[in-house]
Amino acid sequence: MKNALSVDVEEWFCGHILQKGLDEKGWEAQGLRALKVTRKLLRILERHKTKATFFMLGWLVERIPELIIEIEEAGHEIGIHGYAHVSITEMTPEEFEEDLVKALNITKTFAKSKIYGFRAPHFTITKKTLWALETLTKHGLKYDSSVFPLSFHPDYGIDDSNLSIYKITPRMIEVPLSVIDILGKRVPCSGGGYFRVYPYGLTKYLLTRCNREGRPIVFYLHPWELDPDQPRIHIPFYNKIRHYYNLDKVEYRLNRLLEDFSFSTIKEVIGL
Ligand SMILES: [Zn+2]
């Protein structure tokens, strides 16, 4: 089965759990590392002859447009990850539209191919922000890949949402992050922190089950997860585990994942 591989292209300091740990100079004072680690990821994908969807953060594209050029030259799909990496749950509809338009404008300046997809910062398409889907349609987007169909996470999730790809509105396809239902409990197995925390064998078992249930895997990672040498931001212990745990194992695990499963872009998986 063809599965969907996605990358949220942002810097090592963009995650919302890191923001309180940054000094008042904020993002502008930090060194940029995304180009180097994205190139590393592109080499890994090339080795496995795998294509992926790269959801670009507008703020970063503005500073490193080469990212889009190199990702597209390697044959991958470009999507949108917002401009300033603000959760939709923290924005008004007007603020969201402004952020989206800014991200689209900067991305379209450098991208050659058509842009279809959106991934919300911190997966924040929730029951409270379903209004944002109409805004995505208004600006020409065809699919959203932001819904985590689970209930336990404090920042994201729609507990009773469909596990398969479906039409979330008449004109918007939803490509939810992969979750397996085990005895009525929804267990995420779709990448990011889950990929770093679970032993690889568990990830493989859950993803195999996803395919056996007839669903393509929808997997995600970030370039900074392939950068174990990134500077550490001082944050509370629990968040440290979420953000920095097993960074040194991601490259090895990703190579195994790409050997064990067949991946492509979201656009191809949903037939756009
Ligand atoms: Zn993000």
Side-chain angles (χ1 to χ4, degrees), residues 27-61:
W27 290 11
E28 297 296 346
Q30 312 304 323
L32 302 183
R33 302 171 70 90
L35 186 59
K36 193 173 162 207
V37 279
T38 302
R39 283 176 174 159
K40 179 175 169 182
L41 175 58
L42 291 174
R43 284 194 297 274
I44 296 171
L45 296 177
E46 170 72 33
R47 217 160 43 235
H48 292 275
K49 309 222 173 318
T50 298
K51 301 291 183 234
T53 298
F54 286 72
F55 293 106
M56 309 300 298
L57 189 69
W59 181 90
L60 188 58
V61 174

Side-chain angles (χ1 to χ4, degrees), residues 8-10 14-16 55 57 81 85 119-123 222 224:
D8 296 352
V9 184
E10 60 198 50
C14 290
H16 77 309
F55 293 106
L57 189 69
H81 192 42
H85 212 241
R119 158 93 26 91
H122 321 117
F123 308 107
H222 304 89
W224 57 260

